[in-house]
Amino acid sequence: MSAATHAANPEELDALSKTIASQVDVVTTMISNVDTPLAGSSWIGPARDKFVGEWNDVFKPALNKLNESFGVASTNVQTVSNNTRASL
């Protein structure tokens, strides 16, 4: 008898999918919470320029990539849940 290499609980996967998907809003809010006040700030100087450059070139793209990954993972987990439920 061979050991199972895959197992899934549909209810658990549904919850995981929702948890992952909800993180998209968290990250989107984080981006907005920096972008909005930064755009309206009177802060000037080399420290601002350095931060804005890093924010726009490194951090914000990484957060957007994270959101993409959350979306894909949430969809994939939900698909596994649905397929598992259908096979039961």
Side-chain angles (χ1 to χ4, degrees):
M1 175 189 240
S2 65
T5 58
H6 294 79
N9 174 316
E11 292 76 23
E12 198 176 89
L13 293 175
D14 290 342
L16 177 58
S17 176
K18 287 177 185 168
T19 298
I20 293 170
S22 72
Q23 298 312 299
V24 172
D25 291 336
V26 172
V27 174
T28 299
T29 298
M30 180 189 309
I31 292 169
S32 179
N33 285 345
V34 173
D35 272 344
T36 301
L38 187 59
S41 171
S42 61
W43 181 28
I44 59 172
R48 180 192 190 281
D49 296 342
K50 182 177 188 307
F51 176 77
V52 169
E54 289 176 343
W55 175 249
N56 288 326
D57 296 340
V58 179
F59 302 121
K60 194 161 53 168
L63 291 169
N64 285 322
K65 179 68 176 162
L66 178 61
N67 263 356
E68 289 174 28
S69 295
F70 281 149
V72 169
S74 175
T75 299
N76 289 342
V77 170
Q78 191 60 56
T79 298
V80 171
S81 175
N82 294 342
N83 291 344
T84 301
R85 189 173 283 108
S87 71
L88 295 177

